[in-house]
Amino acid sequence: MAYSYVVYTGNGATTQYAIPFQYIRKEHVKVFVNFVDTAYTYVNNTTVLLASAPANGVRVEVRRFTPANNPLVDFVDGSTLVASDLDTSNLQHLFLEQELDDNTKQAVSIDPNTGLPTASNQRITNVGAPVAASDAATKAYTDAFVSQTANIADAAVTTAKVADASITNAKVASGIDGAKLTANTVDSSKLTGATVVTNAEVPSATVNDTSFFTTSASDLRYFRQDSSETINSGMAWSSGDGFVATTAAIDARIIDLVDDVGGFVPIANETSFPATNPDINNPDGAGTIISIQAIVTTRTPASGTVTIAGGSGGNVVTITGCGSTILEAGYGVLVETTATLHTYTFHRLVPRATDVTSIASSIANINTTAGSIANVNTVAGSIANVNATGGSIANVNTCATNIAAITNAPTQAANAATSAAAAANSATTASSLVSTITNLSHLLNY
């Protein structure tokens, strides 16, 4: 610990600094801000105040300078000797010794621990340029020497002349030539953290072109299953989401499914059946579907069976299980192979494409009819009357042509009845007149 000075570090806010040492007079204390003698005032006997706060990180030194050129007390013969004068004189000598000790410790001295000169971490200034090989060199001299390294001959610097820690990223401006790297010396620890995505980093990793996964991270990101969740060839198949199949297992699974479904063989018509059983896995087995594109001649089943002479060259083809379904010309048919050659089981009838197209083109009318299905059902319930009307459609059309006359017929009939009644009355009157005239005639004859 120093006797006569203290060093603080500015923070941009503090303006008051303590004086931790004794002094004789206030003018013996000086304040240096960044090694510049700076004016101050006293807050009290142990605190100084600067006009402005030193910036953050700036060195602030408070130091005592006791005068050494003259004694602070001049003793005169015959004068009264007082304690304060003795104290002042002794303090002057003590403080000078302390300041000398502090200065010695801040200068070059012999370190008692090493026996070598030390500057106690202080800067040494005003050093002359070196001449002998053992002279100390200034910074300017060293900088000038270093700048001459451009004159070093090519291939003159060996690895022994370069410290391990002296080559940094900043010194490698354009990268390292891969040819200069020893094989098997670069591992993931030499890469930046953002370049290598580890297992724990997978959930937060984003897609980019500058990083890659470790093997465990890749397993988690893409495969996500361990050996117990992998289906190999020959193992029982599982359709659960917790399993992943190998390519061999997938191939085997596809073959199993094809075996279950069977093959598919298209033929043009009912006389183009293959000469041999087309089952892909068993020539004597069942399961393959034969698709007949279109029946040429309508085939009506007998007891549910259709027999086609020459259905396979000179062979008779038999289709069983048709029931009452007629294999109508123009329709497609699907049949299934059986264990008996040239014998097939009916599967289903396939409608003509033109019929499907016609229905599709009239779908609006079909939908309209479906929307009025109640009315359609009502008509269906009175279909006998509808059919009777249809049988007399000529009379219906005649009525439609003379609808005005039919509409006026009731009125005309009423008028005709009235006229007939009047005519009857007139006839009665005339008959009475005739009878009267006849009677008068008889009387005149008498």
Side-chain angles (χ1 to χ4, degrees):
M1 178 180 176
Y3 295 109
S4 62
Y5 71 94
V6 63
V7 176
Y8 298 100
T9 301
N11 58 14
T14 302
T15 57
Q16 296 186 17
Y17 295 90
I19 305 173
F21 48 78
Q22 292 180 309
Y23 57 89
I24 299 173
R25 296 176 183 171
K26 289 183 177 181
E27 60 267 24
H28 296 169
V29 177
K30 290 183 176 292
V31 177
F32 298 88
V33 177
N34 200 21
F35 302 102
V36 176
D37 191 353
T38 304
Y40 68 92
T41 58
Y42 276 91
V43 176
N44 51 48
N45 290 335
T46 59
T47 306
V48 295
L49 174 66
L50 297 177
S52 60
N56 187 46
V58 170
R59 184 179 189 275
V60 179
E61 179 183 359
V62 180
R63 180 181 286 271
R64 182 186 69 212
F65 291 91
T66 303
N69 53 346
N70 292 307
L72 295 177
V73 177
D74 183 16
F75 295 101
V76 179
D77 292 340
S79 61
T80 302
L81 188 63
V82 295
S84 60
D85 289 340
L86 291 174
D87 288 342
T88 299
S89 179
N90 286 333
L91 286 175
Q92 181 180 15
H93 289 87
L94 174 63
F95 290 168
L96 285 172
E97 289 293 334
Q98 291 177 343
E99 292 161 14
L100 177 62
D101 183 73
D102 287 341
N103 289 336
T104 300
K105 290 176 180 177
Q106 287 186 298
V108 177
S109 60
I110 301 300
D111 190 322
N113 297 316
T114 63
L116 299 174
T118 176
S120 301
N121 296 320
Q122 303 296 315
R123 291 170 55 199
I124 300 175
T125 61
N126 300 321
V127 177
V131 176
S134 59
D135 289 353
T138 64
K139 180 178 182 298
Y141 183 87
T142 303
D143 287 347
F145 178 80
V146 172
S147 66
Q148 296 175 6
T149 55
N151 298 322
I152 297 175
D154 293 344
V157 178
T158 63
T159 57
K161 300 299 189 291
V162 181
D164 289 343
S166 56
I167 303 299
T168 63
N169 292 338
K171 306 305 180 194
V172 185
S174 58
I176 299 175
D177 185 353
K180 301 298 188 292
L181 297 175
T182 305
N184 303 318
T185 58
V186 178
D187 56 27
S188 61
S189 66
K190 303 301 187 295
L191 304 174
T192 60
T195 302
V196 182
V197 179
T198 64
N199 194 48
E201 297 169 334
V202 169
S204 60
T206 57
V207 177
N208 60 73
D209 290 329
T210 59
S211 61
F212 56 87
F213 291 132
T214 62
T215 53
S216 61
S218 180
D219 244 17
L220 177 64
R221 181 64 173 262
Y222 302 112
F223 193 58
R224 297 178 182 270
Q225 268 72 33
D226 59 25
S227 58
S228 67
E229 298 166 322
T230 303
I231 301 175
N232 294 313
S233 179
M235 293 176 61
W237 186 263
S238 172
S239 58
D241 290 336
F243 294 86
V244 171
T246 63
T247 54
I250 293 173
D251 282 351
R253 179 60 176 169
I254 292 174
I255 292 172
D256 289 343
L257 292 174
V258 171
D259 285 346
D260 292 341
V261 173
F264 184 86
V265 178
I267 61 176
N269 51 57
E270 71 272 27
T271 60
S272 301
F273 278 88
T276 59
N277 193 316
D279 189 273
I280 60 174
N281 293 311
N282 185 359
D284 298 323
T288 296
I289 298 296
I290 303 295
S291 174
I292 304 173
Q293 182 180 9
I295 295 292
V296 175
T297 304
T298 298
R299 309 282 176 167
T300 302
S303 300
T305 299
V306 169
T307 302
I308 305 172
S312 175
N315 300 302
V316 176
V317 170
T318 302
I319 302 176
T320 64
C322 295
S324 60
T325 304
I326 298 173
L327 309 188
E328 187 176 340
Y331 279 74
V333 178
L334 298 180
V335 297
E336 183 181 1
T337 59
T338 67
T340 302
L341 184 62
H342 304 311
T343 297
Y344 300 87
T345 302
F346 176 77
H347 184 63
R348 69 182 177 89
L349 200 63
V350 180
R352 289 186 293 251
T354 53
D355 294 342
V356 175
T357 302
S358 296
I359 293 173
S361 62
S362 301
I363 193 65
N365 295 333
I366 294 171
N367 290 335
T368 299
T369 302
S372 302
I373 194 63
N375 296 333
V376 173
N377 291 334
T378 299
V379 172
S382 302
I383 194 64
N385 295 332
V386 173
N387 290 337
T389 301
S392 302
I393 194 64
N395 295 332
V396 173
N397 290 335
T398 299
C399 289
T401 304
N402 299 286
I403 191 63
I406 294 172
T407 301
N408 295 327
T411 301
Q412 293 174 352
N415 294 336
T418 301
S419 299
N425 293 333
S426 297
T428 301
T429 303
S431 177
S432 298
L433 289 174
V434 169
S435 178
T436 301
I437 292 171
T438 300
N439 292 331
L440 290 173
S441 177
H442 287 309
L443 290 176
L444 290 175
N445 288 328
Y446 284 118

